[in-house]
Amino acid sequence: MNCEKGEIDRNLHLMEEYIAAGQEKGMDIVCFPEMNITGYINPLQIPHAVLTIDHRAIHQVVKYSELYSMCVIAGFVEHNPMGKPFINQFIAHNGELLGFYRKKTIQDKEAEWFDPGDQQPVFSVLGVTVGLSVCADIDDPDIFSKYAAKGVSIVFESAAPGLYGEQETRNWLSDFNWWRSNCMEKLGKYAADGSLFIGVSTQAGRTIDEDFPGGGYLFNPRGECTAESGEWSEGVLYVQIQV
């Protein structure tokens, strides 16, 4: 999904289109990228897009899960009354907020803007045990091994890896290949080591001041990539998972 920074209503509208399309295809779960509701914001520059868990936008996504009988995984920048904001990825199903995961791996410039989470909850969806991870968590194999130890079957990795360099001279193919290779090397290994399915959803395309590589992937418990979007543009990867 292309997630414009601070454009909450625009992003919610686009989410509903994707969720409705998923319902038409008989999907049970739709997973959106990291911070897809708020966009990947600098919270100091766009403070109005730092939301609480009871913000109307979060309630709206929970309503979508009820309206379309869908499990929805989505992300936003969460207000933290005790410090810097969290990067929050939450899960809603049939009108109920099941819970949320706060990104644990906060690196580089993110350390100036965000605090890390310290919990790894798991969720039951349609009888399947699900875990969540976010972007730079890809660099911490311990997160995935802990999920495997908890009996998780599927980990959904939501990401928004910002691309370096000037937008005007962007080489989309090389940037897409960089993120794809990162997923293949690391997530494929974690999937095989933990006998996990791992699905990936990545922010795509150009925003007001930053670009994202896109890419959707599914790894099976043997570490094989069994499905991928194959390009960097905005779109959907539909897969059937036999758990």
Side-chain angles (χ1 to χ4, degrees), residues 7 10 24-25 47 52-53 62 64 72 74 78 82 100 112 117-119 122 166-167 178 195 199 211 224-225 237:
E7 298 293 334
R10 175 261 192 199
E24 291 182 1
K25 290 184 175 291
T52 60
I53 194 70
V62 175
Y64 290 158
V72 180
E78 180 194 3
M82 304 301 292
F100 55 85
E112 301 175 18
D118 60 2
Q119 302 295 317
V122 299
E166 297 295 327
Q167 288 183 310
W178 160 77
S195 296
D211 297 341
E224 301 162 340
C225 182
L237 177 65

Side-chain angles (χ1 to χ4, degrees), residues 53 78-79 86-89 100-105 115-119 121 134 137:
I53 194 70
E78 180 194 3
H79 172 69
F86 296 113
I87 298 172
N88 185 310
Q89 202 75 11
F100 55 85
Y101 165 78
R102 291 169 173 153
K103 183 177 179 179
K104 293 180 70 176
T105 311
D115 277 345
D118 60 2
Q119 302 295 317
V134 179
D137 287 336

Side-chain angles (χ1 to χ4, degrees), residues 95-199:
E96 180 184 358
L97 178 63
L98 300 184
F100 55 85
Y101 165 78
R102 291 169 173 153
K103 183 177 179 179
K104 293 180 70 176
T105 311
I106 302 297
Q107 301 174 331
D108 303 326
K109 72 175 183 180
E110 284 191 344
E112 301 175 18
W113 301 345
F114 303 108
D115 277 345
D118 60 2
Q119 302 295 317
Q120 276 187 239
V122 299
F123 310 95
S124 179
V125 178
L126 301 171
V128 176
T129 304
V130 171
L132 305 180
S133 63
V134 179
C135 205
D137 287 336
I138 195 174
D139 294 325
D140 186 353
D142 188 56
I143 288 175
F144 296 86
S145 63
K146 284 182 177 178
Y147 277 135
K150 291 181 178 184
V152 165
S153 296
I154 308 172
V155 178
F156 290 98
E157 160 86 0
S158 299
L163 302 179
Y164 295 98
E166 297 295 327
Q167 288 183 310
E168 293 74 14
T169 58
R170 173 74 59 222
N171 185 325
W172 287 99
L173 181 58
S174 64
D175 293 332
F176 170 79
N177 285 337
W178 160 77
W179 176 242
R180 179 182 182 275
S181 296
N182 209 26
C183 291
M184 295 293 169
E185 174 187 350
K186 296 175 182 176
L187 296 180
K189 184 178 188 305
Y190 304 156
D193 288 347
S195 296
L196 299 165
F197 286 96
I198 301 178

Side-chain angles (χ1 to χ4, degrees), residues 66-77:
E66 180 177 30
L67 179 62
Y68 296 98
S69 299
M70 188 80 66
C71 176
V72 180
I73 301 169
F76 69 103
V77 177

Side-chain angles (χ1 to χ4, degrees), residues 216-238:
Y217 307 97
L218 179 69
F219 297 90
N220 69 16
R222 293 185 297 277
E224 301 162 340
C225 182
T226 58
E228 61 177 300
S229 57
E231 60 178 343
W232 55 82
S233 59
E234 187 175 21
V236 184
L237 177 65
Y238 293 110

